[in-house]
Amino acid sequence: MPVSPPAASLLPGQREPVDERRWADLVKGLTLAEKVRLLTGATLWTLAEEPRLGLHPVVTSDGPQGVRGTGDVPGETGLLAPAPSATAATWDPALARRLGRLFAAEARRKNVDVVLAPLVNLQRTPVAGRHFECLSEDPLLSGVLGAALVQGIQEAGVAACLKHFVANDSETDRTRYRARIDPRTLREVYLAPFERIVAEAGPWSVMGAYSGLDDGTESAPVLEHRRILQGVLKDEWGFDGAVISDWAATQTTAPAANAGLDLVMPGPDGPWGAALVDAVERGEVDEAVIDDKILRLMRLAARVGKLTRPWAPGEQAPPPPPATTEPPPAGETDFTALREVLTRGTVLLRNERDLLPLDAARLGSVALIGPNAVEPYLQGGGSAYVPAVRTVGYAEGLRAALPDTVTLSVHRGGSSRRHAPFIDPARLTGLRAAFLAPDGTRVGEEIRATGNWGFFPVPDGVRDVVLTGRITLAEPGTHTLEFGCAGRFTVALDRNVVHSGEDDRGVDLILDSSHNHPTTHRHTVRVGTTPRELYLRIDLRVVDGEGYGRFVTAHVRHAPPGPTAEDEIAEAVRAARAADVAVVVIGTNEEIESEGWDRPDLELGDRQHRLVRAVAAANPRTVVVVNAGAPVLLPWADQVPALLWHWLPGQEAGHALADVVLGHAEPSGRLPWTLPARAEDVPVPHAIPVDGVIDYREGLHTGHRAYDSAGIEPAFPFGHGLGWTTWSYARAEAPEPSVPVPPSCPAGGDGPRVTVTLANTGPRAGREIVQVYLEPPAADGDPVRVLAGFAVTDVAAGETATVTVTVPWRSFHTWDEAAGRWRPRTGRHRLRIGRSSGDLRLSVDLDILPGTTGTGHTPRPVA
Ligand code: BGC
């Protein structure tokens, strides 16, 4: 059943409660078709306008590495933050909240009302394509940081869109699979971050996932899953915002409308429209259901300042209220903020004999080495992409921070790429695209000397695009040409077909990222003493991407004869040997980490391993920096003196690395996931659906819990991270060693407290993340311990600090499916306190007694 809206509520910037009953009267003035029109987006990013409701167009944009904007402003750029896992690695909700405010300001600058972020799916498997976009493998850490991000975004009057509800934790076949999850695991693990964020931060919108859910009671695409959308999210949790479909995810009319989906995106076409009007007229969908959706959209619009008094046809629309604060143009202050998020999130995994930080005054030369030193991977691929306002590479950042007297040399040490780079435009002659109508007549053309015709938009009325031109290969030796296209196509060289495809899937080619990363074909060409010229022709059938538009994709790549990887590694090793310090930056790239597909494994490639080993053998002062969002295997991790995890760092990469390496800032990150030592140790090594189902059979044993339960030692445990100082944990106390547990327990932060006294025993000020893990009374099959709380503390050298960590009541409850409620768990619980899940230094017992009163919850004030 639809929830009736609260009669009156306070919206941001408003002192008087808004009387939503007035809205219902306005809605009555619309016909059914006029109402239904509003339930599908007007464009790719914008919601529909309705003067009679006072509804102005609400504009959405991706998240979560920044705010991309709608593409309406040619050449628009923006702030590019570190990937979300780096934010999670700060374990610092206050910092996450500041980042949320920065996103809101960026949204305001770009006239965006809804930021499609944060993403709080869990990192169930390390190979998940969108791992870098997620916060953590842990539900509590994801929930706490996610709530802070939502609060930061929304306190500036911009809506967050919490995504992807729920259990869309991997990409393989993402629009079709069903995640089969037992009810207790679903509640305690995958729903947990969403529930906490809804309770604590009240997001104004939630995005329903592409994938499906089988919770034992109902098996359906999430967007048609009545029990989870209407039942859990709306009725049970009281979510009063709008449920928005993931882009092009809605497959049905009445089932999705009745399940609780409020808005189909993108528009203007889609499965609702006239079909939904018919479904209401046939009695399959109650008109009250439609009205509830409109009220939710009006509430969203009101919250972002896009609901005014109604206006008449032909009348000038009343201007929406000005935003509470007009953000200044993005600039140095924002750059500094992003740099701080990154240094605070950078994880110092290893630092033998205090190699780091380097003393710049005692350095003569630095050799900066590695494929990612030359070409840093700043952001993950897919919808999170933001064209950055500026980027600071590693060489640039180090050069700016090092004294002029220090020599900095840069060496790639071999490519880590699987694909050749895009062909140099200078090798192309007369490359043009001819646009053909269905009858074959030529209706236009575009001339561009580029090998990148990826996601190339095509006007209506064009059915085929034919690329023709000449390629010149001059240097003697073996050249490699590589072609990648999407859909139905042929590639011919000198009139011989060398590659072809027949994929007619349409929009699915966009959703599975075939356009970003088409499968490629390699072709080698021997060139002798005379240059060769090849005639290229690529025939492409236009792909209909529905709301996304119409596209063709053709990539023309080329590798000339040149030094081998071995030659480059040898050159880098010589440079390392001659330098005072070698800094080796290795990692992933856009071929590897992206939305749209999962990785096959956690490999970095043999070349990068050989490079690291050879450089570390050549120079004992070698610092290895991993530029990757998700775990990769580092088989040499315990053989290199210093090891930093630098994430997908965003625009301030080089400055932030220099800050850390030269000791201007402490790398105070802690891993928000577990780094496995060996492929065979990974609890969930992949997520390939079997007969359309992904079985979450590991149940509650996810991430670090699985390692602890199985007694497997990872390369670095969840929560691990060093810094510039050392810590001694002195005491932990529970002020009330036995406490009655409230019998019922909404999500949220309240619960018993534990105080921890610790001392900074090192020579420098430092930041510590005090972590509290809960070991419940042994019960068959339960994880041995779960993260139950944490606190950040900054302590001066030699000083002692006492921090208080709250363990939420929810940690003392388990989900009882038969009763349909949370059930308190009584008995002796042990709290283990330390620096990481693998370095637990103190413990304190807590007796949980049966309680008879209270909900354990301080209600959130209506915002
Ligand atoms: C992604 C969403 C994103 C949307 C709009 C989808 O493919 O799954 O996360 O917000 O596209 O770009």
Side-chain angles (χ1 to χ4, degrees):
M1 276 304 292
V3 209
S4 38
S9 60
L10 275 177
L11 300 170
Q14 273 164 330
R15 297 212 183 82
E16 300 301 322
V18 173
D19 188 352
E20 294 191 354
R21 277 169 307 206
R22 255 190 41 235
W23 299 353
D25 291 340
L26 293 174
V27 175
K28 280 195 200 114
L30 301 187
T31 65
L32 175 62
E34 287 166 346
K35 291 186 218 173
V36 165
R37 181 183 69 88
L38 304 178
L39 303 182
T40 296
T43 71
L44 184 53
W45 303 114
T46 308
L47 279 57
E49 174 186 85
E50 178 46 83
R52 279 166 297 172
L53 300 182
L55 191 61
H56 297 248
V58 169
V59 180
T60 68
S61 169
D62 282 306
Q65 271 202 258
V67 181
R68 186 171 63 247
T70 58
D72 291 345
V73 181
E76 187 170 54
T77 58
L79 295 169
L80 176 61
S85 308
T87 305
T90 68
W91 294 56
D92 185 345
L95 194 67
R97 195 164 177 155
R98 271 168 52 204
L99 184 63
R101 282 201 290 268
L102 183 139
F103 287 158
E106 185 74 339
R108 282 279 169 243
R109 281 182 207 114
K110 296 184 170 186
N111 291 321
V112 165
D113 306 300
V114 183
V115 179
L116 303 174
L119 192 156
V120 294
N121 297 107
L122 295 183
Q123 292 158 336
R124 172 175 176 259
T125 167
V127 300
R130 303 185 81 167
H131 195 286
F132 70 92
E133 274 188 81
C134 300
L135 290 163
S136 167
E137 69 183 20
D138 186 86
L140 181 86
L141 185 57
S142 301
V144 172
L145 277 275
L149 283 161
V150 170
Q151 282 161 343
I153 294 171
Q154 296 194 163
E155 63 203 4
V158 172
C161 185
L162 191 63
K163 66 191 191 182
H164 307 90
F165 190 75
V166 58
N168 186 179
D169 306 303
S170 49
E171 294 294 279
T172 307
D173 235 350
R174 67 172 170 165
T175 57
R176 279 178 291 271
Y177 71 73
R178 302 260 160 104
R180 182 179 292 152
I181 314 181
D182 71 82
R184 186 175 163 206
T185 301
L186 180 61
R187 291 283 181 160
E188 294 184 21
V189 181
Y190 297 95
L191 284 171
F194 288 97
E195 185 182 8
R196 186 184 181 111
I197 296 166
V198 168
E200 290 212 314
W204 297 338
S205 63
V206 164
M207 187 185 290
Y210 283 121
S211 46
L213 175 67
D214 176 355
D215 63 357
T217 308
E218 190 176 330
S219 175
V222 166
L223 295 181
E224 296 167 29
H225 206 291
R226 200 168 179 146
R227 187 173 141 97
I228 206 76
L229 289 183
Q230 186 65 49
V232 174
L233 176 64
K234 290 183 171 178
D235 295 347
E236 193 189 313
W237 296 353
F239 169 69
D240 69 356
V243 175
I244 302 177
S245 76
D246 200 341
W247 266 232
T250 318
Q251 292 161 18
T252 61
T253 307
N258 283 327
L261 175 66
D262 297 313
L263 175 71
V264 169
M265 285 302 281
D269 302 318
W272 284 13
L276 184 52
V277 173
D278 288 350
V280 176
E281 282 167 353
R282 279 198 305 271
E284 289 169 27
V285 179
D286 197 323
E287 192 157 347
V289 170
I290 304 293
D291 291 351
D292 179 61
K293 298 182 194 310
I294 306 271
L295 286 176
R296 286 170 180 273
L297 291 180
M298 291 175 79
R299 199 177 291 139
L300 172 64
R303 285 169 162 163
V304 299
K306 287 294 179 75
L307 194 75
T308 60
R309 68 165 173 77
W311 66 98
E315 189 196 339
Q316 172 89 26
T324 29
T325 47
E326 223 24 80
E332 283 301 331
T333 318
D334 304 294
F335 303 163
T336 308
L338 296 179
R339 183 168 169 171
E340 185 186 342
V341 172
L342 182 55
T343 53
R344 291 211 179 282
T346 298
V347 186
L348 180 60
L349 292 168
R350 191 174 153 84
N351 193 19
E352 293 301 286
R353 294 180 302 281
D354 291 336
L355 174 58
L356 290 176
L358 303 174
D359 181 353
R362 298 172 62 181
L363 277 179
S365 57
V366 175
L368 177 64
I369 294 168
N372 290 53
V374 175
E375 206 183 341
Y377 188 34
L378 302 180
Q379 57 177 321
S383 58
Y385 182 79
V386 176
V389 61
R390 78 163 193 191
T391 58
V392 182
Y394 289 123
E396 191 188 336
L398 282 173
R399 184 62 280 168
L402 286 167
D404 291 346
T405 48
V406 180
T407 316
L408 177 73
S409 61
V410 185
H411 318 264
R412 181 166 73 162
S415 164
S416 59
R417 294 186 166 270
R418 293 177 192 153
H419 297 297
F422 284 113
I423 191 164
D424 179 351
R427 295 180 187 273
L428 298 171
T429 315
L431 190 68
R432 66 191 61 221
F435 300 144
L436 307 183
D439 65 2
T441 49
R442 199 184 173 101
V443 291
E445 78 167 4
E446 172 121 358
I447 298 174
R448 279 198 206 183
T450 171
N452 186 359
W453 294 75
F455 250 122
F456 180 75
V458 177
D460 285 345
V462 174
R463 195 187 65 171
D464 295 284
V465 174
V466 182
L467 285 180
T468 52
R470 296 194 169 273
I471 298 175
T472 306
L473 305 177
E475 307 88 323
T478 303
H479 293 249
T480 304
L481 287 167
E482 193 177 327
F483 304 100
C485 306
R488 203 171 250 288
F489 64 87
T490 56
V491 180
L493 277 177
D494 287 345
R495 301 187 199 285
N496 298 318
V497 172
V498 294
H499 188 29
S500 63
E502 297 191 344
D503 196 336
D504 276 331
R505 279 176 304 147
V507 70
D508 273 2
L509 290 166
I510 290 172
L511 300 182
D512 78 359
S513 284
S514 293
H515 280 274
N516 289 334
H517 295 267
T519 48
T520 60
H521 170 80
R522 279 172 178 244
H523 187 83
T524 52
V525 181
R526 289 273 320 152
V527 175
T529 42
T530 28
R532 282 188 65 178
E533 195 173 62
L534 300 158
Y535 173 66
L536 171 71
R537 175 180 170 127
I538 304 180
D539 287 71
L540 300 154
R541 176 61 50 87
V542 175
V543 174
D544 183 359
E546 296 175 11
Y548 285 97
R550 307 173 74 248
F551 301 96
V552 291
T553 279
H555 291 175
V556 182
R557 298 168 173 275
H558 168 245
T564 64
E566 290 316 315
D567 297 338
E568 286 191 31
I569 292 174
E571 189 267 339
V573 168
R574 282 195 295 278
R577 196 170 290 126
D580 290 339
V581 171
V583 177
V584 188
V585 191
I586 53 160
T588 58
N589 53 49
E590 80 287 348
E591 296 176 356
I592 297 174
E593 286 190 77
S594 172
E595 176 184 342
W597 72 91
D598 297 321
R599 288 183 292 163
D601 53 41
L602 305 182
E603 280 305 323
L604 267 183
D606 187 46
R607 255 180 270 166
Q608 299 201 68
H609 295 319
R610 276 187 284 139
L611 175 68
V612 170
R613 287 196 164 109
V615 171
N619 190 331
R621 286 160 60 82
T622 291
V623 178
V624 179
V625 180
V626 185
N627 169 206
V632 288
L633 295 174
L634 309 176
W636 34 258
D638 55 0
Q639 293 153 32
V640 297
L643 182 57
L644 283 163
W645 198 279
H646 210 240
W647 303 108
L648 303 184
Q651 64 172 61
E652 298 302 312
H655 285 328
L657 183 67
D659 285 346
V660 164
V661 166
L662 300 176
H664 304 317
E666 185 188 35
S668 49
R670 304 289 184 267
L671 288 178
W673 40 250
T674 308
L675 188 67
R678 305 175 310 166
E680 54 270 37
D681 294 342
V682 177
V684 182
H686 58 72
I688 300 168
V690 177
D691 296 331
V693 171
I694 300 184
D695 197 343
Y696 284 39
R697 61 166 62 89
E698 72 286 357
L700 303 168
H701 299 268
T702 56
H704 58 99
R705 301 170 175 191
Y707 286 83
D708 287 344
S709 302
I712 293 173
E713 202 167 317
F716 296 99
F718 174 80
H720 172 75
L722 307 169
W724 296 152
T725 187
T726 49
W727 299 93
S728 127
Y729 277 64
R731 262 189 328 281
E733 284 160 334
E736 298 163 80
S738 60
V739 274
V741 58
S744 82
C745 170
D750 295 337
R753 301 186 206 316
V754 52
T755 58
V756 182
T757 305
L758 69 164
N760 176 347
T761 48
R764 295 179 65 151
R767 164 169 285 215
E768 179 66 323
I769 317 287
V770 176
Q771 302 167 36
V772 176
Y773 295 82
L774 177 74
E775 294 179 355
D780 259 2
D782 283 6
V784 282
R785 82 181 62 88
V786 299
L787 180 70
F790 55 91
V792 180
T793 180
D794 294 304
V795 187
E799 294 291 313
T800 295
T802 299
V803 299
T804 301
V805 182
T806 302
V807 179
W809 280 122
R810 183 52 72 74
S811 308
F812 301 97
H813 284 73
T814 55
W815 179 253
D816 179 342
E817 177 63 8
R821 63 185 293 264
W822 292 96
R823 186 177 291 286
R825 199 198 309 98
T826 53
R828 176 151 298 186
H829 288 66
R830 176 156 292 180
L831 299 174
R832 306 276 309 269
I833 297 122
R835 305 203 66 247
S836 77
S837 64
D839 184 0
L840 299 169
R841 305 213 175 159
L842 300 170
S843 71
V844 50
D845 286 347
L846 206 55
D847 283 321
I848 300 296
L849 311 173
T852 48
T853 55
T855 62
H857 184 60
T858 313
R860 175 173 55 88
V862 179

